[in-house]
Amino acid sequence: MAKNGVRIGIVGGTGYTGVELLRLLAQHPHCELAAITSRKEAGTGVAEMFPNLRGRVALKFSDPDKAGLKNCDLVFFATPNGVAMEQARALVDGGVRIIDIAADFRIQDVAEWETWYGVKHACPELVAEAVYGLPEVNRAKIREARIVANPGCYPTAVQLGMLPLIEAGIVDLDHLIADAKSGVSGAGRKAEVHTLLAEASDNFKAYSVAGHRHHPEITQGLTRAAGRPVNLVFVPHLTPMIRGIHATLYARLTRNSDLQALYEKRYAKEAFVDVMPAGSHPDTRSVRGANFCRVAVHQPRGGDIAVVLSVIDNLVKGASGQAVQNMNIMFGLPETAGLEQLALIP
Amino acid sequence: MAKNGVRIGIVGGTGYTGVELLRLLAQHPHCELAAITSRKEAGTGVAEMFPNLRGRVALKFSDPDKAGLKNCDLVFFATPNGVAMEQARALVDGGVRIIDIAADFRIQDVAEWETWYGVKHACPELVAEAVYGLPEVNRAKIREARIVANPGCYPTAVQLGMLPLIEAGIVDLDHLIADAKSGVSGAGRKAEVHTLLAEASDNFKAYSVAGHRHHPEITQGLTRAAGRPVNLVFVPHLTPMIRGIHATLYARLTRNSDLQALYEKRYAKEAFVDVMPAGSHPDTRSVRGANFCRVAVHQPRGGDIAVVLSVIDNLVKGASGQAVQNMNIMFGLPETAGLEQLALIP
Amino acid sequence: MAKNGVRIGIVGGTGYTGVELLRLLAQHPHCELAAITSRKEAGTGVAEMFPNLRGRVALKFSDPDKAGLKNCDLVFFATPNGVAMEQARALVDGGVRIIDIAADFRIQDVAEWETWYGVKHACPELVAEAVYGLPEVNRAKIREARIVANPGCYPTAVQLGMLPLIEAGIVDLDHLIADAKSGVSGAGRKAEVHTLLAEASDNFKAYSVAGHRHHPEITQGLTRAAGRPVNLVFVPHLTPMIRGIHATLYARLTRNSDLQALYEKRYAKEAFVDVMPAGSHPDTRSVRGANFCRVAVHQPRGGDIAVVLSVIDNLVKGASGQAVQNMNIMFGLPETAGLEQLALIP
Amino acid sequence: MAKNGVRIGIVGGTGYTGVELLRLLAQHPHCELAAITSRKEAGTGVAEMFPNLRGRVALKFSDPDKAGLKNCDLVFFATPNGVAMEQARALVDGGVRIIDIAADFRIQDVAEWETWYGVKHACPELVAEAVYGLPEVNRAKIREARIVANPGCYPTAVQLGMLPLIEAGIVDLDHLIADAKSGVSGAGRKAEVHTLLAEASDNFKAYSVAGHRHHPEITQGLTRAAGRPVNLVFVPHLTPMIRGIHATLYARLTRNSDLQALYEKRYAKEAFVDVMPAGSHPDTRSVRGANFCRVAVHQPRGGDIAVVLSVIDNLVKGASGQAVQNMNIMFGLPETAGLEQLALIP
């Protein structure tokens, strides 16, 4: 680690996870931004594209071939899926550690990954080595990892909400339900008709009910926690807001338990998971721009169905903030370094 | 029925169901707006308060005592809960029929109603007579009714989505789940902090997970359809949009069935329930301003959980549009009269 | 004109002016939709693309070459700029009348048009013949026109707001200011980054301050009304809403006048221009989905600057509604036919 | 100044300027939050009301009488208008300095203030002493002030945009125009119908064209800069977003000048005014949550009207951020302390 802190390269960086990573790293006390690459935007100042960075981030996008990523301690991939797997081998062989904010290393079953992402995996052997970067589950492994697969946004919200129930072994694992609502930034900074303001504003809809890429990722995590396969129905919805995921989770209880105590105990030592008081309804704005997951657990009318409400900012705890949290763990920094900003209300 | 069509009085009318009712009736070919009452706004032109009506609705709000409601064929109550029950007896005794868009006559179990609405019911004997105004279930009774209890917005979306499964007897009635998302107009035109734009915009949250007034209403309807008590978990959410409800419904299948065919058959003759093609995801804007419920049914990955997506405009099929539909039925008019407007997209 | 009313063809129709035209024509009592063309979507039902039309518009997109547009009475071009000019000659020679909702025939100075639209004009001789379709100015000419150039959205709002002052000769023509705010649907249904919800929502900005295509169109109209060249500063702004234009207009008064009376007199016979009472602030939602322009005129603190507030729905009075109004005029129908729907509030 | 930094009391704090002040102060390196008062909420934890503060602000609202404000170095008033003037005398006599985020001390002409705010001023003699807290104009006086009148949101955006032109003496001072657009949080956290999401969303309107409280405040500032009275037309608009003001300013140039150079020079040493490159269109989100004013100056088509675009976050540079900036100046802290957070994009 360099004198100025972790020496960082970013591949990609013209999308939403990229600008969010820049916003967070620009305010991080222990890192040095060495390079950010974009073949298309090479030579453009990042602050020209994202004026919130004016006066604070002097870096220009550079051509990937000239960026000197091999001299970095850590490279973040804030790219579309399929990019990190092409470059990972050379970097890790050169001693550079990697956090992939995209999906290339998230799913251990390479055949399943290939089905969902529609391409052949370029380095299946590195998938086996990669650590799934959910600190609340894998902190020790993340510390030593060369490659961290940063979790998806829905998987973060759903797993953090479901894990206490599953780890406690008190729910029917065959009929788990995750009804998840995401702000539109989750679709990325791509020009597409269905995410235009004129299409998505003042409107609400479900999508991909038949199947979504995050389904196998969530199932993999819950299966690990359960120690046996689980069955999950996952219904994502597009919500007319910019940031935020609200996962409403339903599980049938097979045993009585003090759910509030269970959740408080599970997350007692976690800096970024906030178990709300009994009866709470966390709103997504309470984490807007902040690296928190807020969770509340309910048991409506004393019945046998637990309802968990789990909110994150999809770009922070659901992407770039969690990536910085992983960096902090990997480099022995305080886990909250650079992540202490409070959410904007209103 | 008068020469100019149904002679109509409206009690209330300064709220959202009121202005929506005025918008629809102003374009209805077979009715005559005789009076609209508001003690507070007496003397004010309705078009002064709602400029969309300028040049089309000349009526002024009148004092309830001078409005001559007894000379109407039909009185709509577009009031807060608890108003209609005070005035219903005198009107029906005078031969005036009533549609209550509020909740006073929706729940047959008066004790349960009193628990949820926090007041003593003023005319329990009329509750017994009142007909629950969901035309797709009660059309024949509505035709003859003196008092129609117009359904709530959530209950309309959830019942129309659930009924085919329940009537067919193919789902576990003890673990029904309704995850419902509503636009903010569902909270009415009341000055409240939590529905300010600065609070509710770019934000999403669940509310009333422990219990909501619409829960007993929905349960009552599903229980009737099932012929035995059902158990429903109902979680409403506040969504940053003006109009629209999206109910995502989950039911465990106890028998195999062709769900698409089931839904198409159930609603084949219904003008205002549109069963979407298999695999569809209806969006709320597809019914914005229109008296439709659009429904799609899914069975994700061939599993044993049915997922139904049901959308309405909470102010139209979920309130004033359904009220007009009920009026049409009660007075022998074509059921679609005045309700043929198409939704606004975008 | 056919027995069933005007026989209509639509070229284009996959954009916002297209779906809005379909919505209006589907509810129009005197027309018959014969064909709608889209090379890309040929064979697709229009209601598959726009579900608000389900059950009401059975038409499919057809290949332009097989659409039989020559058998229509009227063809609307709901296309990008530059399409109508390629097809106009053949159609008018065949006796088909045309309304171009795009910009090909709006500007009489062809060289100026070519500067702003970046292509050579395909039929300058037809430009000379085309009538600018602002009924409040050109009604008589529209009646006889073979080609109507339907005005742009900003030009409609600005001209209707400014014309009374200019026609009365009471303002400084060299320092007119139009500060205009538009909803995002004005940018069309094109996949672009800057109109994504995640970019344009909860945000506000000016654009094209140095120059905008609608500037010469507005200036042309105001110059005609003034009888001499005018000088206008026009600043458009992107507003986080779907529909609506609010033009705030500033003009220095050179003579005292009763502005309220002036406006009321100017528009006394106009069905679709609503002069609001003195002191009013029209809001854009008061015309959402409706073919109205609402105008209010102010003279703050009795000073020498008139402030005019002019609102329209950019897709209705600013595009497809005005096109239907022009059709009604051209074919001798009641000018309000098919345009009597009321705005949605809320 | 105490060992832990400035010892701070806040009067009020249940509104938007209050929670924003708490957010900023909780992250400020040189201050200590001693008390926050609210008679109504006494005993409630501030984080119960504003969950973004959970885990970071342990303070509870306290009764004003028991809050010990006299032991503070500085008291912020984040109250409705009319509160600070009642308490100011006792505090300043006790040696406590004051920053009033409301309007009590902004206007030197007490009679004018009383006209606009509708009450008699409680301490006119302190008005004379109070310093108008626009650091870019009054930095030296702020340093020594006992009472700082924190500027209004519109006045901040308009003055920072207009001042360079006026100080340079190159514009017609009798026909200045400020067309300003504000997000809804500018109206505060009060329950009112017109700022409900269902009213204000997907909608746009002007208001108070005849006169607005910020008009005399702006005029006072511009008059001081001009050295003679100015005449300003000010038209505020309600914009469907949470935070942000965009002021579009128009001034007739009386002399040629390099406007870009003028602005860059005027603000060269200012940390919180960012003059954008020539041709820019700043958007409000580029300052969302950040204490910046971004300004761009245009001269459309080389004409004689200058157009200035000025954006701020109304709750930060337009209220609580500027208040913290004033505190930093008053207490000799680095002016940017606690104000280095970057805006959220998207």
Side-chain angles (χ1 to χ4, degrees), chain C residues 109-130:
Chain C
D109 182 333
V110 172
E112 172 113 52
W113 186 90
E114 291 175 342
T115 302
W116 284 99
Y117 291 88
V119 289
K120 195 153 180 55
H121 204 290
C123 56
E125 75 288 0
L126 288 181
V127 173
E129 162 184 354

PDB file of all heavy atoms in Angstrom, chain C residues 109-130:
ATOM      1  N   ASP C 109     -38.872  30.237 -44.716  1.00  0.00           N
ATOM      2  CA  ASP C 109     -37.528  30.517 -45.208  1.00  0.00           C
ATOM      3  C   ASP C 109     -36.758  29.196 -45.270  1.00  0.00           C
ATOM      4  O   ASP C 109     -36.236  28.706 -44.271  1.00  0.00           O
ATOM      5  CB  ASP C 109     -36.854  31.503 -44.245  1.00  0.00           C
ATOM      6  CG  ASP C 109     -35.450  31.890 -44.693  1.00  0.00           C
ATOM      7  OD1 ASP C 109     -34.789  31.095 -45.405  1.00  0.00           O
ATOM      8  OD2 ASP C 109     -35.009  32.985 -44.314  1.00  0.00           O
ATOM      9  N   VAL C 110     -36.705  28.621 -46.446  1.00  0.00           N
ATOM     10  CA  VAL C 110     -36.152  27.275 -46.594  1.00  0.00           C
ATOM     11  C   VAL C 110     -34.680  27.216 -46.195  1.00  0.00           C
ATOM     12  O   VAL C 110     -34.225  26.235 -45.599  1.00  0.00           O
ATOM     13  CB  VAL C 110     -36.376  26.755 -48.024  1.00  0.00           C
ATOM     14  CG1 VAL C 110     -35.632  25.436 -48.249  1.00  0.00           C
ATOM     15  CG2 VAL C 110     -37.871  26.565 -48.290  1.00  0.00           C
ATOM     16  N   ALA C 111     -33.945  28.265 -46.511  1.00  0.00           N
ATOM     17  CA  ALA C 111     -32.530  28.276 -46.133  1.00  0.00           C
ATOM     18  C   ALA C 111     -32.384  28.225 -44.612  1.00  0.00           C
ATOM     19  O   ALA C 111     -31.550  27.490 -44.075  1.00  0.00           O
ATOM     20  CB  ALA C 111     -31.850  29.536 -46.694  1.00  0.00           C
ATOM     21  N   GLU C 112     -33.197  28.989 -43.955  1.00  0.00           N
ATOM     22  CA  GLU C 112     -33.163  28.973 -42.482  1.00  0.00           C
ATOM     23  C   GLU C 112     -33.534  27.584 -41.962  1.00  0.00           C
ATOM     24  O   GLU C 112     -32.880  27.055 -41.065  1.00  0.00           O
ATOM     25  CB  GLU C 112     -34.151  30.021 -41.932  1.00  0.00           C
ATOM     26  CG  GLU C 112     -34.336  29.955 -40.428  1.00  0.00           C
ATOM     27  CD  GLU C 112     -33.784  31.183 -39.710  1.00  0.00           C
ATOM     28  OE1 GLU C 112     -34.137  32.309 -40.095  1.00  0.00           O
ATOM     29  OE2 GLU C 112     -32.980  30.996 -38.777  1.00  0.00           O
ATOM     30  N   TRP C 113     -34.584  26.994 -42.552  1.00  0.00           N
ATOM     31  CA  TRP C 113     -34.977  25.637 -42.151  1.00  0.00           C
ATOM     32  C   TRP C 113     -33.802  24.677 -42.298  1.00  0.00           C
ATOM     33  O   TRP C 113     -33.510  23.872 -41.423  1.00  0.00           O
ATOM     34  CB  TRP C 113     -36.171  25.164 -42.999  1.00  0.00           C
ATOM     35  CG  TRP C 113     -36.723  23.842 -42.545  1.00  0.00           C
ATOM     36  CD1 TRP C 113     -37.707  23.644 -41.630  1.00  0.00           C
ATOM     37  CD2 TRP C 113     -36.304  22.541 -42.961  1.00  0.00           C
ATOM     38  NE1 TRP C 113     -37.941  22.308 -41.448  1.00  0.00           N
ATOM     39  CE2 TRP C 113     -37.091  21.603 -42.254  1.00  0.00           C
ATOM     40  CE3 TRP C 113     -35.341  22.065 -43.859  1.00  0.00           C
ATOM     41  CZ2 TRP C 113     -36.953  20.225 -42.432  1.00  0.00           C
ATOM     42  CZ3 TRP C 113     -35.191  20.694 -44.030  1.00  0.00           C
ATOM     43  CH2 TRP C 113     -35.996  19.782 -43.320  1.00  0.00           C
ATOM     44  N   GLU C 114     -33.123  24.783 -43.455  1.00  0.00           N
ATOM     45  CA  GLU C 114     -32.017  23.853 -43.717  1.00  0.00           C
ATOM     46  C   GLU C 114     -30.878  24.038 -42.720  1.00  0.00           C
ATOM     47  O   GLU C 114     -30.223  23.065 -42.325  1.00  0.00           O
ATOM     48  CB  GLU C 114     -31.538  24.015 -45.161  1.00  0.00           C
ATOM     49  CG  GLU C 114     -32.604  23.508 -46.156  1.00  0.00           C
ATOM     50  CD  GLU C 114     -32.239  23.751 -47.626  1.00  0.00           C
ATOM     51  OE1 GLU C 114     -31.356  24.593 -47.896  1.00  0.00           O
ATOM     52  OE2 GLU C 114     -32.863  23.098 -48.495  1.00  0.00           O
ATOM     53  N   THR C 115     -30.660  25.267 -42.299  1.00  0.00           N
ATOM     54  CA  THR C 115     -29.630  25.517 -41.286  1.00  0.00           C
ATOM     55  C   THR C 115     -29.952  24.788 -39.992  1.00  0.00           C
ATOM     56  O   THR C 115     -29.108  24.127 -39.390  1.00  0.00           O
ATOM     57  CB  THR C 115     -29.553  27.029 -40.984  1.00  0.00           C
ATOM     58  OG1 THR C 115     -29.269  27.711 -42.192  1.00  0.00           O
ATOM     59  CG2 THR C 115     -28.477  27.322 -39.942  1.00  0.00           C
ATOM     60  N   TRP C 116     -31.202  24.888 -39.563  1.00  0.00           N
ATOM     61  CA  TRP C 116     -31.558  24.341 -38.257  1.00  0.00           C
ATOM     62  C   TRP C 116     -31.767  22.832 -38.279  1.00  0.00           C
ATOM     63  O   TRP C 116     -31.512  22.156 -37.295  1.00  0.00           O
ATOM     64  CB  TRP C 116     -32.819  25.023 -37.716  1.00  0.00           C
ATOM     65  CG  TRP C 116     -32.510  26.386 -37.208  1.00  0.00           C
ATOM     66  CD1 TRP C 116     -32.699  27.580 -37.848  1.00  0.00           C
ATOM     67  CD2 TRP C 116     -31.890  26.708 -35.958  1.00  0.00           C
ATOM     68  NE1 TRP C 116     -32.254  28.614 -37.077  1.00  0.00           N
ATOM     69  CE2 TRP C 116     -31.753  28.106 -35.896  1.00  0.00           C
ATOM     70  CE3 TRP C 116     -31.433  25.948 -34.873  1.00  0.00           C
ATOM     71  CZ2 TRP C 116     -31.175  28.755 -34.808  1.00  0.00           C
ATOM     72  CZ3 TRP C 116     -30.868  26.585 -33.788  1.00  0.00           C
ATOM     73  CH2 TRP C 116     -30.748  27.979 -33.760  1.00  0.00           C
ATOM     74  N   TYR C 117     -32.249  22.333 -39.415  1.00  0.00           N
ATOM     75  CA  TYR C 117     -32.571  20.911 -39.451  1.00  0.00           C
ATOM     76  C   TYR C 117     -31.480  20.075 -40.120  1.00  0.00           C
ATOM     77  O   TYR C 117     -31.536  18.857 -40.142  1.00  0.00           O
ATOM     78  CB  TYR C 117     -33.961  20.684 -40.046  1.00  0.00           C
ATOM     79  CG  TYR C 117     -35.027  21.196 -39.085  1.00  0.00           C
ATOM     80  CD1 TYR C 117     -35.457  22.520 -39.124  1.00  0.00           C
ATOM     81  CD2 TYR C 117     -35.525  20.372 -38.081  1.00  0.00           C
ATOM     82  CE1 TYR C 117     -36.382  23.006 -38.206  1.00  0.00           C
ATOM     83  CE2 TYR C 117     -36.447  20.844 -37.159  1.00  0.00           C
ATOM     84  CZ  TYR C 117     -36.875  22.161 -37.227  1.00  0.00           C
ATOM     85  OH  TYR C 117     -37.779  22.635 -36.315  1.00  0.00           O
ATOM     86  N   GLY C 118     -30.494  20.761 -40.697  1.00  0.00           N
ATOM     87  CA  GLY C 118     -29.279  20.070 -41.099  1.00  0.00           C
ATOM     88  C   GLY C 118     -29.386  19.211 -42.341  1.00  0.00           C
ATOM     89  O   GLY C 118     -28.517  18.380 -42.603  1.00  0.00           O
ATOM     90  N   VAL C 119     -30.450  19.355 -43.092  1.00  0.00           N
ATOM     91  CA  VAL C 119     -30.562  18.615 -44.359  1.00  0.00           C
ATOM     92  C   VAL C 119     -31.125  19.555 -45.432  1.00  0.00           C
ATOM     93  O   VAL C 119     -31.662  20.613 -45.117  1.00  0.00           O
ATOM     94  CB  VAL C 119     -31.509  17.391 -44.237  1.00  0.00           C
ATOM     95  CG1 VAL C 119     -30.868  16.293 -43.398  1.00  0.00           C
ATOM     96  CG2 VAL C 119     -32.853  17.802 -43.674  1.00  0.00           C
ATOM     97  N   LYS C 120     -30.977  19.143 -46.670  1.00  0.00           N
ATOM     98  CA  LYS C 120     -31.544  19.904 -47.773  1.00  0.00           C
ATOM     99  C   LYS C 120     -33.037  19.593 -47.833  1.00  0.00           C
ATOM    100  O   LYS C 120     -33.456  18.454 -47.660  1.00  0.00           O
ATOM    101  CB  LYS C 120     -30.857  19.481 -49.075  1.00  0.00           C
ATOM    102  CG  LYS C 120     -31.116  20.455 -50.194  1.00  0.00           C
ATOM    103  CD  LYS C 120     -30.019  20.486 -51.255  1.00  0.00           C
ATOM    104  CE  LYS C 120     -30.411  21.519 -52.318  1.00  0.00           C
ATOM    105  NZ  LYS C 120     -30.684  22.843 -51.713  1.00  0.00           N
ATOM    106  N   HIS C 121     -33.847  20.601 -48.072  1.00  0.00           N
ATOM    107  CA  HIS C 121     -35.280  20.360 -48.108  1.00  0.00           C
ATOM    108  C   HIS C 121     -35.657  19.674 -49.417  1.00  0.00           C
ATOM    109  O   HIS C 121     -35.187  20.053 -50.486  1.00  0.00           O
ATOM    110  CB  HIS C 121     -36.064  21.661 -47.951  1.00  0.00           C
ATOM    111  CG  HIS C 121     -37.449  21.421 -47.426  1.00  0.00           C
ATOM    112  ND1 HIS C 121     -38.428  20.820 -48.178  1.00  0.00           N
ATOM    113  CD2 HIS C 121     -38.003  21.658 -46.209  1.00  0.00           C
ATOM    114  CE1 HIS C 121     -39.537  20.715 -47.447  1.00  0.00           C
ATOM    115  NE2 HIS C 121     -39.303  21.225 -46.251  1.00  0.00           N
ATOM    116  N   ALA C 122     -36.511  18.657 -49.328  1.00  0.00           N
ATOM    117  CA  ALA C 122     -36.820  17.839 -50.499  1.00  0.00           C
ATOM    118  C   ALA C 122     -37.889  18.459 -51.403  1.00  0.00           C
ATOM    119  O   ALA C 122     -37.996  18.089 -52.570  1.00  0.00           O
ATOM    120  CB  ALA C 122     -37.267  16.443 -50.046  1.00  0.00           C
ATOM    121  N   CYS C 123     -38.676  19.362 -50.902  1.00  0.00           N
ATOM    122  CA  CYS C 123     -39.737  19.925 -51.750  1.00  0.00           C
ATOM    123  C   CYS C 123     -40.047  21.369 -51.346  1.00  0.00           C
ATOM    124  O   CYS C 123     -41.138  21.672 -50.864  1.00  0.00           O
ATOM    125  CB  CYS C 123     -41.002  19.068 -51.690  1.00  0.00           C
ATOM    126  SG  CYS C 123     -41.641  18.827 -50.022  1.00  0.00           S
ATOM    127  N   PRO C 124     -39.076  22.246 -51.556  1.00  0.00           N
ATOM    128  CA  PRO C 124     -39.258  23.643 -51.141  1.00  0.00           C
ATOM    129  C   PRO C 124     -40.516  24.277 -51.735  1.00  0.00           C
ATOM    130  O   PRO C 124     -41.133  25.142 -51.107  1.00  0.00           O
ATOM    131  CB  PRO C 124     -38.001  24.352 -51.643  1.00  0.00           C
ATOM    132  CG  PRO C 124     -37.150  23.346 -52.301  1.00  0.00           C
ATOM    133  CD  PRO C 124     -37.755  21.999 -52.169  1.00  0.00           C
ATOM    134  N   GLU C 125     -40.923  23.835 -52.924  1.00  0.00           N
ATOM    135  CA  GLU C 125     -42.086  24.454 -53.558  1.00  0.00           C
ATOM    136  C   GLU C 125     -43.365  24.170 -52.769  1.00  0.00           C
ATOM    137  O   GLU C 125     -44.298  24.971 -52.769  1.00  0.00           O
ATOM    138  CB  GLU C 125     -42.225  24.004 -55.031  1.00  0.00           C
ATOM    139  CG  GLU C 125     -42.762  22.582 -55.240  1.00  0.00           C
ATOM    140  CD  GLU C 125     -41.779  21.470 -54.865  1.00  0.00           C
ATOM    141  OE1 GLU C 125     -40.643  21.778 -54.435  1.00  0.00           O
ATOM    142  OE2 GLU C 125     -42.151  20.296 -54.974  1.00  0.00           O
ATOM    143  N   LEU C 126     -43.388  23.035 -52.045  1.00  0.00           N
ATOM    144  CA  LEU C 126     -44.570  22.747 -51.238  1.00  0.00           C
ATOM    145  C   LEU C 126     -44.567  23.540 -49.931  1.00  0.00           C
ATOM    146  O   LEU C 126     -45.617  23.774 -49.334  1.00  0.00           O
ATOM    147  CB  LEU C 126     -44.664  21.247 -50.942  1.00  0.00           C
ATOM    148  CG  LEU C 126     -45.053  20.377 -52.138  1.00  0.00           C
ATOM    149  CD1 LEU C 126     -45.144  18.903 -51.720  1.00  0.00           C
ATOM    150  CD2 LEU C 126     -46.393  20.816 -52.750  1.00  0.00           C
ATOM    151  N   VAL C 127     -43.382  23.920 -49.484  1.00  0.00           N
ATOM    152  CA  VAL C 127     -43.306  24.754 -48.276  1.00  0.00           C
ATOM    153  C   VAL C 127     -44.106  26.040 -48.492  1.00  0.00           C
ATOM    154  O   VAL C 127     -44.867  26.484 -47.630  1.00  0.00           O
ATOM    155  CB  VAL C 127     -41.843  25.078 -47.921  1.00  0.00           C
ATOM    156  CG1 VAL C 127     -41.771  26.080 -46.774  1.00  0.00           C
ATOM    157  CG2 VAL C 127     -41.089  23.796 -47.571  1.00  0.00           C
ATOM    158  N   ALA C 128     -43.927  26.616 -49.663  1.00  0.00           N
ATOM    159  CA  ALA C 128     -44.599  27.888 -49.954  1.00  0.00           C
ATOM    160  C   ALA C 128     -46.114  27.753 -49.857  1.00  0.00           C
ATOM    161  O   ALA C 128     -46.822  28.672 -49.439  1.00  0.00           O
ATOM    162  CB  ALA C 128     -44.201  28.373 -51.349  1.00  0.00           C
ATOM    163  N   GLU C 129     -46.591  26.597 -50.242  1.00  0.00           N
ATOM    164  CA  GLU C 129     -48.035  26.361 -50.245  1.00  0.00           C
ATOM    165  C   GLU C 129     -48.589  25.988 -48.863  1.00  0.00           C
ATOM    166  O   GLU C 129     -49.756  26.228 -48.553  1.00  0.00           O
ATOM    167  CB  GLU C 129     -48.321  25.224 -51.239  1.00  0.00           C
ATOM    168  CG  GLU C 129     -49.660  24.587 -51.026  1.00  0.00           C
ATOM    169  CD  GLU C 129     -49.942  23.391 -51.931  1.00  0.00           C
ATOM    170  OE1 GLU C 129     -49.127  23.096 -52.828  1.00  0.00           O
ATOM    171  OE2 GLU C 129     -50.990  22.761 -51.709  1.00  0.00           O
ATOM    172  N   ALA C 130     -47.721  25.391 -48.042  1.00  0.00           N
ATOM    173  CA  ALA C 130     -48.183  24.856 -46.754  1.00  0.00           C
ATOM    174  C   ALA C 130     -48.724  25.962 -45.852  1.00  0.00           C
ATOM    175  O   ALA C 130     -48.248  27.088 -45.865  1.00  0.00           O
ATOM    176  CB  ALA C 130     -47.034  24.129 -46.059  1.00  0.00           C
TER     177      ALA C 130
END
